[in-house]
Amino acid sequence: MKFLKSPLVVFCFLFSFTHSIAQDLKPGFDKAEYRELVYIATRSTESPEKAKDIPLPEHSKLVYQSKSIGLDNQWELWLKDGKTAVLCTRGTTEKGESWLANLYAAMTPAKGELKISNTDTFKYELSTNKDAAVHTGYLLSTAFLSKEMLPKIDSCYKQGIKNFIIMGHSQGGGISYLLTAHFYNLQSKGIIPADIRFKTYCSAAPKPGNLYFAYDYERKTQNGWAYNVVSAADWVPQTPFSVEMPEDLPIVSPIALVEETIKKQNFFKRMLLNMVYDKATSPSRKTVKTYQKLLGKEMAKRVKEFLPEFVPPPFYNSNNYVRTSTTIVLYPKQDDAVYYEKFPNNSKDLMIHHSFPPYLYLLDQLE
């Protein structure tokens, strides 16, 4: 893969900061750092009504804003303190294709190829674990966004910028998981320089994949290089719905022992035990099949209305979505009258606890 030349405006802007002394990103959750990223993400993700009360970024300048691509995806490049590039992915918009990125939630293997047009196939390896699987809609969004981000990463690097923060709120956070995994893979293959340092903040993000993806992602980003910031009152981080089947367990598990034990019984006892076993396991299997039909096949048809040359990838037979990465919990206490006066549970606004204002309020309370 070759990086494209950057636009002149990006080059000139970055060049003006080459006098700055580059400093390495520090691991660990940084309240001030996250707050600045929220100020950045507000500009593209938050509604105008709620955004008006949120300050502008204090230490960052906008360098580049992409056009709408893929499923109404968009991203921005910011320069923080003259030495750290911020790759910020927009959250869900009001457009139908943007919601499709969320609803296209059948799982896809974390390694494979995704044909997004007749001339463009996205090759990816988001995990080295063969059992890892990810959210298909966010994978499709990653295919479009990463193609645009890579040349800008190269441009920044040529100007001496080696520190990168990946940020996204809501849908943008869900996509940021996969972008991070993709960039780590490209780095392992020498496509992205080894001395680039990535740090990720996924804010109010839905779950990105199954447990095996989470294990691999957390292994690569551990020791303070990736965070999942959620409010305990926010419903979005609990999506997509998760269903665990016996097949989701590792090869060595009690399931294999149970099945082997049943086989060794005489005919009548084996028949009875199989009936009990099927009653215990078939509901989850049926639910996964239903999800694959509704959130896979049906959503793929809708996606093709916007991307007619897109070829749906194969399913991974699971819906075992899990919370991923080191989690920072913003916790609204039940006796916090100020919080619930500002953000009441009886509001008709379904995003009352999901937007940036409650996240910033709770961030200030975080010890």
Side-chain angles (χ1 to χ4, degrees), residues 49-278:
E49 180 183 353
K50 295 177 181 177
K52 66 183 180 181
D53 296 324
I54 297 176
L56 295 171
E58 299 174 358
H59 308 284
S60 308
K61 299 292 183 181
L62 178 64
V63 178
Y64 171 81
Q65 183 183 68
S66 77
K67 296 180 180 179
S68 176
I69 52 180
L71 295 176
D72 199 33
N73 304 117
Q74 187 185 69
W75 74 281
E76 295 176 341
L77 171 64
W78 292 69
L79 198 60
K80 178 178 176 291
D81 296 323
K83 56 182 176 287
T84 299
V86 178
L87 309 174
C88 183
T89 298
R90 181 171 69 182
T92 310
T93 71
E94 294 181 354
K95 292 186 177 181
E97 59 265 44
S98 180
W99 279 96
L100 274 176
N102 297 323
L103 296 174
Y104 194 11
M107 280 189 171
T108 295
K111 178 181 179 180
E113 296 184 356
L114 193 64
K115 186 176 180 181
I116 57 179
S117 74
N118 291 337
T119 59
D120 196 354
T121 298
F122 175 58
K123 297 182 179 181
Y124 62 92
E125 185 176 0
L126 307 183
S127 172
T128 55
N129 191 320
K130 64 179 180 59
D131 294 317
V134 296
H135 186 292
T136 307
Y138 297 159
L139 176 64
L140 180 55
S141 298
T142 298
F144 283 96
L145 290 166
S146 62
K147 184 178 180 180
E148 272 214 358
M149 288 180 174
L150 288 171
K152 301 300 187 293
I153 293 174
D154 187 55
S155 297
C156 291
Y157 184 76
K158 289 177 179 177
Q159 297 304 315
I161 305 295
K162 299 181 181 181
N163 299 324
F164 289 81
I165 295 178
I166 300 170
M167 164 62 174
H169 186 83
S170 192
Q171 180 189 101
I175 297 169
S176 291
Y177 283 114
L178 306 195
L179 285 168
T180 300
H182 182 51
F183 292 156
Y184 269 91
N185 175 254
L186 295 182
Q187 198 169 40
S188 72
K189 295 179 178 178
I191 298 172
I192 290 178
D195 55 346
I196 282 180
R197 165 58 73 183
F198 292 107
K199 186 176 183 180
T200 301
Y201 285 87
C202 297
S203 176
K207 293 171 283 189
N210 70 353
L211 186 60
Y212 299 106
F213 171 77
Y215 283 155
D216 199 40
Y217 179 92
E218 291 163 359
R219 176 181 65 87
K220 292 173 181 175
T221 62
Q222 63 188 346
N223 300 323
W225 294 111
Y227 289 94
N228 168 36
V229 186
V230 301
S231 164
D234 185 3
W235 63 270
V236 173
Q238 295 190 36
T239 63
F241 294 150
S242 183
V243 180
E244 188 170 12
M245 302 185 297
E247 291 83 351
D248 290 311
L249 293 175
I251 295 175
V252 179
S253 75
I255 296 299
L257 179 62
V258 169
E259 292 176 346
E260 186 62 28
T261 301
I262 292 175
K263 289 179 182 178
K264 293 180 179 179
Q265 306 305 310
N266 61 48
F267 175 77
F268 292 105
K269 186 178 289 187
R270 187 169 67 248
M271 184 172 62
L272 177 61
L273 290 174
N274 274 326
M275 287 177 58
V276 174
Y277 183 70
D278 287 343

